[in-house]
């Protein structure tokens, strides 16, 4: 990092489909001359993207993150009830992050969640320079632990429970999945870069990674009978519409920001999946597709991140 250029990494939500951007990031990490947290001035993530963002921002390698995903994601997604999913998510956060707070982060971090009662975004940030006002009272991550902020960002209601947190200022807030307000957090990251940090848009460099779009998986008779299929479809559609609309706004409002967006669409039946995927073979296939997606945009990524222009 350095100079007048602000490099931004933005990571979409998508549940288990986070294996796809991990494939992309494996290749991005390999081409960089320094670790990802030393390359990007801001790393923003929503839901599964918040997990990856926090791990990268605290210095973890992509291979380390992939190993953690292989170990922890399938059991979370395989859990049958809302309470069981939430418990596994919470246990994973405590295991991976412990009591670490936002003061342990090594670069600018943004984790997007949504306020349940006020129906507005709440974005956990690591640095006072990212604040859009009230800097005198700024506390990294509102004084919350990384694990709690990530749980809030990942709490895809009604499949996970709403997360209640108390901030350093004594506010008690109920939070749920950041995907309901910004499944694609690139606009929020750009607002930090251009407004809070004061960078000219043309001096920003944005790499924005989605989780891909896939055919809907076929559900068995029992799943359809217990009325589980429609809510999953509805949540998936809601997040996809949100992602597309945020990206359209980004292109309109920040047309002069050099940007590479990677999130391919697949139509082959064998690629059918959703955010609750827990088949290790399918998850591995998603990661492989991420590698292939990077290969198609490698020249653009190199130009974005390594060019001196």
């Amino acid at each position: 990092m350095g100079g007048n250029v602000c490099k931004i990494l933005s990571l979409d939500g998508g549940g288990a489909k986070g294996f796809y951007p991990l494939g992309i990031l494996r290749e991005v990490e390999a081409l960089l001359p320094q670790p990802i947290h030393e390359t990007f001035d801001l790393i923003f993530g929503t839901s599964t993207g918040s997990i990856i963002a926090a791990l990268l921002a605290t210095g973890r390698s992509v291979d380390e993150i992939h190993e953690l995903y292989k170990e922890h994601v399938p059991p979370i997604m395989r859990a049958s009830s809302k309470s069981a999913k939430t418990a596994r998510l919470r246990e994973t956060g405590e295991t991976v992050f412990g009591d670490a707070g936002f003061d342990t982060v090594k670069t600018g971090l943004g984790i997007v969640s949504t306020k349940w009662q006020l129906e507005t975004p709440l974005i956990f940030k690591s640095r006072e320079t990212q604040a859009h006002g009230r800097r005198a009272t700024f506390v990294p991550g509102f004084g919350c632990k990384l694990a709690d902020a990530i749980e809030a960002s990942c709490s895809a209601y009604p499949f996970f429970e709403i997360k209640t947190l108390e901030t350093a200022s004594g506010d008690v807030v109920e939070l749920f999945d950041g995907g309901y307000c910004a499944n694609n957090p690139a606009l929020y990251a750009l607002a930090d870069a251009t407004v809070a940090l004061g960078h000219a848009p043309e001096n920003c460099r944005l790499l924005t990674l989605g989780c891909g779009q896939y055919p809907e998986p076929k559900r068995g008779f029992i799943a359809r009978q217990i009325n589980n299929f429609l809510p999953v479809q509805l949540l998936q559609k809601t997040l996809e519409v949100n992602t597309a609309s945020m990206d359209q706004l980004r292109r309109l409002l920040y047309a002069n920001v050099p940007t590479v967006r990677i999130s391919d669409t697949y139509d082959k039946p064998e690629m059918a999946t959703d955010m609750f995927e827990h088949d290790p073979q399918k998850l591995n296939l998603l990661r492989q597709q991420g590698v292939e997606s990077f290969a198609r945009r490698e020249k653009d990524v190199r130009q974005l991140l390594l060019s001196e222009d």
Side-chain angles (χ1 to χ4, degrees), residues 13-33:
K17 295 185 295 180
F19 278 82
Y20 173 84
L22 285 177
I24 301 170
L25 288 166
R26 187 190 80 181
E27 303 302 316
V28 171
E29 184 180 60
L31 70 82
L32 295 173

Side-chain angles (χ1 to χ4, degrees), residues 24 33 43 52-53 97 115 148 161 187 264 276 285 296:
I24 301 170
I43 304 178
I52 300 171
F97 292 99
K115 293 181 181 179
D148 287 334
E161 294 173 348
L187 267 182
D264 289 334
F276 295 106
L285 183 59
R296 288 188 283 272

Side-chain angles (χ1 to χ4, degrees), residues 74-146:
I76 293 171
M77 298 309 178
R78 194 181 295 118
S80 58
S81 67
K82 175 169 62 177
S83 60
K85 277 184 168 62
T86 301
R88 286 190 177 274
L89 176 63
R90 184 166 301 153
E91 290 166 5
T92 298
E94 292 171 351
T95 298
V96 174
F97 292 99
D99 292 328
F102 281 74
D103 55 348
T104 65
V105 170
K106 300 179 179 181
T107 189
L109 174 67
I111 290 178
V112 181
S113 63
T114 307
K115 293 181 181 179
W116 174 256
Q117 294 168 310
L118 299 181
E119 300 171 346
T120 54
L122 186 145
I123 306 174
F124 298 88
K125 299 180 181 182
S126 61
R127 294 183 173 175
E128 175 264 337
T129 51
Q130 295 173 251
H132 296 257
R134 295 180 295 174
R135 291 193 173 187
T137 57
F138 179 87
V139 178
F142 301 104
C144 298
K145 296 187 296 184
L146 282 168

Side-chain angles (χ1 to χ4, degrees), residues 11-308:
L11 301 162
D12 289 9
K17 295 185 295 180
F19 278 82
Y20 173 84
L22 285 177
I24 301 170
L25 288 166
R26 187 190 80 181
E27 303 302 316
V28 171
E29 184 180 60
L31 70 82
L32 295 173
Q34 64 276 321
I36 285 178
H37 71 271
E38 293 181 10
T39 298
F40 291 97
D41 302 88
L42 293 172
I43 304 178
F44 266 60
T46 297
S47 198
T48 195
S50 76
I51 303 173
I52 300 171
L55 287 166
L56 290 172
T58 51
R60 300 288 189 106
S61 71
V62 177
D63 280 346
E64 288 178 294
I65 299 171
H66 180 228
E67 291 301 316
L68 289 170
Y69 260 61
K70 287 194 296 181
E71 178 182 356
H72 294 289
V73 169
I76 293 171
M77 298 309 178
R78 194 181 295 118
S80 58
S81 67
K82 175 169 62 177
S83 60
K85 277 184 168 62
T86 301
R88 286 190 177 274
L89 176 63
R90 184 166 301 153
E91 290 166 5
T92 298
E94 292 171 351
T95 298
V96 174
F97 292 99
D99 292 328
F102 281 74
D103 55 348
T104 65
V105 170
K106 300 179 179 181
T107 189
L109 174 67
I111 290 178
V112 181
S113 63
T114 307
K115 293 181 181 179
W116 174 256
Q117 294 168 310
L118 299 181
E119 300 171 346
T120 54
L122 186 145
I123 306 174
F124 298 88
K125 299 180 181 182
S126 61
R127 294 183 173 175
E128 175 264 337
T129 51
Q130 295 173 251
H132 296 257
R134 295 180 295 174
R135 291 193 173 187
T137 57
F138 179 87
V139 178
F142 301 104
C144 298
K145 296 187 296 184
L146 282 168
D148 287 334
I150 290 165
E151 182 186 338
S153 184
C154 293
S155 294
Y157 186 82
F159 298 97
F160 289 81
E161 294 173 348
I162 293 168
K163 177 70 174 178
T164 301
L165 285 177
E166 182 174 355
T167 68
S169 62
D171 294 329
V172 177
V173 290
E174 294 182 332
L175 302 169
F176 67 122
D177 198 297
Y180 285 99
C181 63
N183 199 54
N184 172 352
L187 267 182
Y188 291 163
L190 284 166
D192 274 17
T194 59
V195 179
L197 298 177
H199 291 279
E202 59 270 21
N203 290 334
C204 296
R205 302 290 183 270
L206 172 65
L207 177 61
T208 167
L209 306 182
C211 292
Q213 288 185 292
Y214 310 89
E216 294 174 358
K218 293 182 179 180
R219 300 284 176 178
F221 175 78
I222 294 177
R224 293 196 301 272
Q225 290 301 107
I226 63 174
N227 200 30
N228 189 46
F229 188 32
L230 183 59
V232 174
Q233 283 183 304
L234 182 59
L235 176 59
Q236 193 77 39
K237 183 62 69 175
T238 298
L239 298 182
E240 288 175 358
V241 170
N242 179 295
T243 297
S245 63
M246 293 294 281
D247 197 53
Q248 185 175 24
L249 276 173
R250 188 267 307 164
R251 292 195 302 269
L252 289 171
L253 297 175
Y254 288 97
N256 53 344
V257 173
T259 298
V260 175
R261 167 79 176 167
I262 305 179
S263 188
D264 289 334
T265 299
Y266 302 92
D267 54 14
K268 293 183 179 179
E270 59 267 28
M271 290 301 299
T273 193
D274 62 26
M275 63 187 296
F276 295 106
E277 184 63 64
H278 52 263
D279 179 354
Q281 291 184 330
K282 180 62 69 66
L283 296 174
N284 180 259
L285 183 59
L286 294 181
R287 181 170 178 259
Q288 292 179 49
Q289 292 296 343
V291 172
E292 294 301 318
S293 292
F294 169 85
R296 288 188 283 272
R297 302 298 304 278
E298 179 173 2
K299 181 178 179 181
D300 297 330
V301 174
R302 285 182 176 274
Q303 176 67 24
L304 184 80
L305 299 180
L306 301 180
S307 173
E308 296 297 326

